[in-house]
Amino acid sequence: MVRDGYIYGLSLLAVAVLLAWATGNWAWGIAPVLLAAFFLWFFRDPRRIIPAESGLIVSPGDGLVTESVTINTPQGPRQRISIFLSVFNVHVNRSPIGGVLTSVQYKRGEYLNAMNPASADRNEQNAVTVRGEGIEVTFKQIAGLLARRIVFNFGEGDTVERGQRVGLIKFGSRVDVVLPAEAMLRVKVGQRVMGGATVLAAMPQGDA
């Protein structure tokens, strides 16, 4: 479980005990106990089996694939996959590939609904670029309508492994993954994915 779960959960359990003691009525503690249970469940951090084959790009988060498009960047055409994380999904984020973090750029912004395509540019976000296995992949942690804090535990120059836990986005949010143009997609819009376990794409043999 993510540390935040213990903080929220135990704090609310303490509130429940205080309310029941102060009022002499245990019913006053029901609401905070239910909230505590929700937070303990929300901040769960299940173990995942990470694919080991070379050239694979895994999902950085759990959720629903809502978009798969080709975009133009200063480096040329790229593919972008967008994944929507509802409040019911695991919100721990993982690195899509193993390698060195060449860029970590946090930007303050708005809190549009994460299903809105405009959220990719206007919302609070943290863009992370990883270079390894001969390729470069960028993923964005994008805050949603309810999210108010993005957590990322590494900095530029750090080395991460494929599927390694790197941070989280609290409550509803979105993750965008920018892949090489030649990557062969293995997911489609409408598919549900799991962070670290689901392969989003694979590089052609000999290019990874």
Side-chain angles (χ1 to χ4, degrees):
M1 179 181 295
V2 178
R3 181 174 61 95
D4 301 66
Y6 293 110
I7 294 173
Y8 287 113
L10 294 178
S11 297
L12 284 164
L13 288 176
V15 170
V17 171
L18 287 173
L19 284 173
W21 175 78
T23 63
N25 185 348
W26 62 268
W28 283 94
I30 293 177
V33 166
L34 291 176
L35 282 173
F38 169 77
F39 282 118
L40 290 171
W41 170 79
F42 177 83
F43 286 105
R44 65 199 184 281
D45 184 13
R47 292 186 178 184
R48 296 284 164 78
I49 298 176
I50 313 301
E53 294 86 351
S54 63
L56 299 182
I57 302 167
V58 300
S59 177
D62 289 33
L64 179 71
V65 177
T66 58
E67 186 180 50
S68 177
V69 296
T70 298
I71 62 173
N72 292 316
T73 74
Q75 294 75 37
R78 296 288 188 271
Q79 300 181 76
R80 185 181 71 197
I81 297 174
S82 298
I83 301 166
F84 173 72
L85 290 70
S86 76
V87 293
F88 301 106
N89 291 122
V90 173
H91 274 57
V92 173
N93 298 141
R94 296 170 179 266
S95 178
I97 63 171
V100 177
L101 303 182
T102 59
S103 176
V104 179
Q105 298 183 338
Y106 172 80
K107 185 181 77 172
R108 294 182 180 276
E110 300 177 43
Y111 297 96
L112 302 176
N113 189 314
M115 292 290 285
N116 185 339
S119 66
D121 297 316
R122 294 166 55 182
N123 279 21
E124 175 193 9
Q125 59 188 261
N126 188 51
V128 181
T129 299
V130 189
R131 182 162 187 80
E133 299 185 41
I135 62 174
E136 189 173 80
V137 174
T138 297
F139 67 97
K140 287 184 180 182
Q141 299 170 286
I142 303 172
L145 183 64
L146 299 177
R148 290 297 184 272
R149 189 182 176 202
I150 292 174
V151 177
F152 191 74
N153 301 319
F154 295 85
E156 292 183 8
D158 288 342
T159 300
V160 295
E161 298 179 1
R162 180 195 300 161
Q164 181 176 348
R165 299 171 179 86
V166 292
L168 76 153
I169 317 171
K170 295 184 179 180
F171 309 108
S173 51
R174 169 178 169 167
V175 177
D176 281 0
V177 190
V178 180
L179 316 169
E182 64 272 24
M184 298 179 293
L185 299 185
R186 292 194 180 179
V187 295
K188 58 185 179 181
V189 172
Q191 181 175 337
R192 294 194 175 276
V193 296
M194 295 194 301
T198 302
V199 176
L200 297 181
M203 296 302 296
Q205 290 187 358
D207 293 352

